[in-house]
Amino acid sequence: MSECTHDCSTCSQNCSERTAESFRKPLRPGASVKKVIAVVSGKGGVGKSLVTCLMASEMQRRGFNCAVLDADITGPSIPKSFGIHEHCMGTDEYLLPVTTHTGLQLMSMNLILETETEPVVWRGPVIAGAVTQFWTDVLWQDVDYMFVDMPPGTGDVPLTVFQSLPVDGIVIVTTPQDLVGMIVEKAVRMAELMKIPVLGLVENMSYFKCPDCGKKYSIFGDSKVEALAKQYGIRNYARLPIDPVITAMVDAGEVESVSGEYIAPVVDAIREEC
């Protein structure tokens, strides 16, 4: 057998040094991230990016230094939600995260591309490598909570994040449709396989509240978040409404100004358990 390089990510041997921690990638010298929360779902279009932005903004409002790592390389939307259209800066050795007007730190593929609409036409391993570099090559500055906006599914990028980053917990995003129960179970099972706790469940598009009479309408079906949380032993959950005001604020790059009242139960859980 060839001499051990102590880099288990490039090795096919099965030895005593091959543990979960051996796959972890270190931050660059001078960078600091205390807690990492991954935001996941088994399918696309459920609102992971919105939930990521809301949680990071609410935690930042509470006085913590927060960051968002946009791991959705082919569909990056985080910078636009915060009204960021500039490119990140850096040196030959590292990149600097872009900061929002509240001081929240961001890194996304759209901060590197020449134009925001330029497509990323890469294969899975290259995409996963870019996500790893967002962790290892960025000078993250004294981050208390990093929120990782994941692409949908359980493929290359989620596996890379769970293995390469010291993820402290995940938040699962869902919607009220019947088929989503199966999708939630996939995310829960992956978390179990990776031995990462599920900190919360967020049901997006849960209801619409009439601005005239105040009555709530379940446009996509009755809420299932409480039953799903109970079924999978998830103690904390939240419901996000269909709200044109929130949509308009996100489209205008003002997600940091959206009220944190809806997402507060899950943010509370993250504070208590991490």
Side-chain angles (χ1 to χ4, degrees), residues 175-189:
T175 55
Q177 292 97 324
D178 284 335
L179 64 85
V180 175
M182 175 185 66
I183 302 304
V184 170
E185 183 167 357
K186 287 180 182 292
V188 169
R189 297 292 176 251

Side-chain angles (χ1 to χ4, degrees), residues 96-117:
L96 289 171
V98 173
T99 57
T100 70
H101 74 276
T102 67
L104 205 152
Q105 300 172 49
L106 308 179
M107 180 50 63
S108 169
M109 182 56 66
N110 261 13
L111 302 176
I112 298 174
L113 296 175
E114 186 173 343
T115 62
E116 293 180 340
T117 57

Side-chain angles (χ1 to χ4, degrees), residues 8-193:
C8 295
S9 63
T10 62
C11 177
S12 61
Q13 298 297 322
N14 187 15
C15 64
S16 59
E17 291 190 18
R18 197 177 182 87
T19 64
E21 287 72 21
S22 66
F23 288 91
R24 300 275 167 79
K25 301 296 184 182
L27 288 167
R28 64 160 290 101
S32 173
V33 177
K34 297 181 179 70
K35 300 291 182 180
V36 178
I37 310 299
V39 184
V40 307
S41 178
K43 68 183 296 294
V46 299
K48 290 183 301 299
S49 296
L50 172 62
V51 170
T52 301
C53 293
L54 292 178
M55 289 195 297
S57 298
E58 175 61 14
M59 196 69 85
Q60 186 84 4
R61 270 193 294 268
R62 297 186 183 193
F64 297 96
N65 293 324
C66 295
V68 175
L69 190 160
D70 189 353
D72 195 351
I73 301 297
T74 60
S77 60
I78 294 296
K80 187 178 187 300
S81 300
F82 287 95
I84 301 295
H85 301 282
E86 63 195 79
H87 289 90
C88 64
M89 305 297 288
T91 69
D92 291 339
E93 297 181 353
Y94 60 83
L95 293 172
L96 289 171
V98 173
T99 57
T100 70
H101 74 276
T102 67
L104 205 152
Q105 300 172 49
L106 308 179
M107 180 50 63
S108 169
M109 182 56 66
N110 261 13
L111 302 176
I112 298 174
L113 296 175
E114 186 173 343
T115 62
E116 293 180 340
T117 57
E118 183 180 342
V120 177
V121 189
W122 296 347
R123 294 192 182 276
V126 179
I127 293 172
V131 172
T132 302
Q133 286 186 283
F134 282 173
W135 171 257
T136 60
D137 295 357
V138 175
L139 190 59
W140 299 105
Q141 301 172 52
D142 194 27
V143 174
D144 294 315
Y145 290 95
M146 172 180 282
F147 295 87
V148 182
D149 182 27
M150 304 276 265
T154 54
D156 283 345
V157 171
L159 183 59
T160 295
V161 170
F162 288 153
Q163 288 186 327
S164 301
L165 276 63
V167 179
D168 295 282
I170 72 170
V171 172
I172 300 174
V173 184
T174 180
T175 55
Q177 292 97 324
D178 284 335
L179 64 85
V180 175
M182 175 185 66
I183 302 304
V184 170
E185 183 167 357
K186 287 180 182 292
V188 169
R189 297 292 176 251
M190 186 171 190
E192 291 175 347
L193 284 172

